Amino acid sequence: MDDMRVALVFKKLQLIYVPFLLLSLLFVSGYSLLHWLLLIKLQLVSIDESLVNFWLPMLLPWPLLFFYLRPRLKLCHFTKSNSRFIYLLIASLLLAVPTIVAQEYLNSATGKLTQLDSINELSLQPQTKYYQLKQFYIDKKHIGVQRNIEPVGKGNSELQMSLYVAMPIFSRRSESWREGAKAIAWYGKHYQQTISNRLEKHEKESLYQEFIYQSQQEFNGFNPDDFVYLDRIGPSSRYTQLLTAAQKSTVYHDAYQTILMPVNQPFEARNGHKLAWMLGWLSFGAILWLVMSLMLTLDGTQLAPKALAAKLTTAEPKAVLYAFLAEFKPRSGFVITPILLLSNVLIFMLMVFASHHFITLPNSVLLDWGANLRQLVLDQQVWRLISNVFLHGGLMHLMFNLYGLFFAGIFLEPLLGKWRLLGVYLMSALAASIASISWYEATISIGASGAIMGLFGVLSMWIWMGFLPLASHMLLALHLTLFVSASLVMGLLGGVDNAAHLGGLVSGLLLGCVLRPIALNQMHKKPR
């Protein structure tokens, strides 16, 4: 018996643990190598830094894991069909996080420091990331300024005020006086402050004027010559804003668009602790996945050599893609949830197509498509109380809510039935929207999280009442705790509509009490 247990442990390590470990090392190193070769070494394309350093590392692990790891997880027993999805979700994060840290380390570690006798030599030297200047003059008179105010956070509950200042860099002071002078490069300065979007209009205006005044005072006393070296920033929203500021200066020329930011630390310290963080995350992932692998139970019927080979060779791209899509296909006991999932995705795609934004959608687009706002609801646009639930402010907002809806729906719909689940979803959404406009006067609210919190409220009440025994639903209880806690804590930190979360959660708890007898009857009707 002991020999059998040891053999099963080694089998799990062979089938589940070691392949993931190799995949994580290959993904981090392979992605970093392509980043260095295509974008840093050869400079073949110019891509927004946020896409390369964050979004692609977050999204690319999914197809790799689905085609490679999912067939191996199908060799194991799972108490719920979505447990396999949870393993894939955690695996994707264990690949993404160290890759994101690795890109930050790659950018700083591979960046070369070029010594320039004069800023005029900038266009004569190969482009590098870092520069030191011997002879230069940073002109604080011919500056360009770009002001920007935009709502941030979930529900746009805050306003971010930004002031971008671009200062022309000349070789010497006399060059800035010359008629028709044009700057070779630009020195960037950024001021930023965040205030509540719930304030009255006159309060916002007062705080904005104070922000501009304080920024002006700080700029007047600021010495631009006080830096150790300069960092050339690549394509990003910060670069776009600073370039826009530079274009407003009288000494701007389209041929010179280099933006440099000051760094006031030794060049040797540029990497910080990034490498240690990357190795730490890889080690943490290896240990966590080892524990998760040992918790799995292998299906003995799948371990015969022929059956195992057949199982692992079914990862043909077309077959695996169809299998993935089948997870979201309506079927008996799982009808409304996939329809809601696909509806949210479809509406988001239409919004992206209409606005040409997908990471963060503008405030005006959200309002045009039916976002929740007290003033508009009181102006007889009551439909916004429901329409806002199908809108999302960006890609990560959508992905987070899709995960929560899928997880809650796959547990809850078989117990409630499709129409009752839809009723709980819409009633919780309505309660969340009413709570939001009751609490916030001028906050734009969007997203399915209030309705999802209602579904989680039902499940939480049933676990507390003993209808779903905690011992056999530990995974469900753990994810309920994590999702609800994360949502509420993010609300306390700002930028998230906690009123909608609490409204949906309270509604779900109450509905859980009302619907328990119906769900109990539904469970008894199931064939054994």
Side-chain angles (χ1 to χ4, degrees), residues 223-417:
N223 179 15
D225 298 346
D226 184 19
F227 63 86
V228 178
Y229 61 96
L230 296 169
D231 179 5
R232 179 182 60 83
I233 60 175
S236 59
S237 60
R238 182 176 57 165
Y239 174 82
T240 301
Q241 295 289 348
L242 285 169
L243 183 61
T244 302
Q247 290 168 347
K248 298 179 180 180
S249 171
T250 58
V251 296
Y252 172 79
H253 192 281
D254 288 336
Y256 308 115
Q257 298 185 346
T258 300
I259 307 291
L260 303 172
M261 300 292 290
V263 181
N264 287 294
Q265 65 176 6
F267 180 72
E268 295 75 16
R270 68 192 185 283
N271 294 323
H273 301 290
K274 300 186 187 81
L275 182 60
W277 275 105
M278 181 188 69
L279 296 176
W281 269 106
L282 285 172
S283 302
F284 170 76
I287 296 172
L288 179 61
W289 191 256
L290 175 62
V291 173
M292 293 175 63
S293 300
L294 295 177
M295 290 173 61
L296 292 171
T297 302
L298 289 174
D299 185 351
T301 62
Q302 304 288 341
L303 298 181
K306 290 185 178 181
L308 183 61
K311 202 76 175 177
L312 295 180
T313 55
T314 56
E316 187 179 340
K318 185 183 292 186
V320 174
L321 178 61
Y322 288 156
F324 174 75
L325 296 176
E327 294 286 340
F328 302 94
K329 183 180 179 180
R331 56 186 182 270
S332 178
F334 191 65
V335 177
I336 290 297
T337 302
I339 291 176
L340 290 173
L341 289 167
L342 295 175
S343 299
N344 281 284
V345 172
L346 177 60
I347 292 173
F348 182 76
M349 291 174 63
L350 292 174
M351 294 174 68
V352 168
F353 180 78
S355 66
H356 304 290
H357 293 79
F358 76 98
I359 294 179
T360 302
L361 273 67
N363 187 48
S364 57
V365 174
L366 299 177
L367 286 173
D368 290 343
W369 282 73
N372 193 24
L373 183 64
R374 179 195 287 190
Q375 181 181 350
L376 296 178
V377 172
L378 296 179
D379 194 25
Q380 299 183 357
Q381 298 182 27
V382 184
W383 48 272
R384 291 180 180 271
L385 295 174
I386 293 297
S387 64
N388 81 90
V389 180
F390 295 90
L391 308 180
H392 292 84
L395 184 61
M396 289 306 295
H397 185 200
L398 174 71
M399 298 299 292
F400 184 73
N401 281 345
L402 289 180
Y403 163 69
L405 177 55
F406 180 86
F407 184 84
I410 206 165
F411 272 97
L412 201 53
E413 187 168 346
L415 298 175
L416 279 180

Side-chain angles (χ1 to χ4, degrees), residues 458-505:
V458 173
L459 289 169
S460 299
M461 179 57 70
W462 287 355
I463 290 177
W464 183 74
M465 298 174 72
F467 173 55
L468 297 177
L470 181 60
S472 56
H473 292 83
M474 186 61 69
L475 185 64
L476 170 62
L478 175 63
H479 279 78
L480 285 175
T481 303
L482 291 175
F483 192 95
V484 174
S485 300
S487 299
L488 296 178
V489 168
M490 284 190 295
L492 295 176
L493 295 176
V496 176
D497 188 353
N498 245 0
H501 287 170
L502 291 172
L505 181 62

Side-chain angles (χ1 to χ4, degrees), residues 13 30 33 76 137 155 196 207 237 319 453 478 511:
L13 294 177
L33 177 62
C76 305
Y137 171 68
S196 173
L207 289 174
S237 60
M453 291 287 276
L478 175 63
L511 289 171

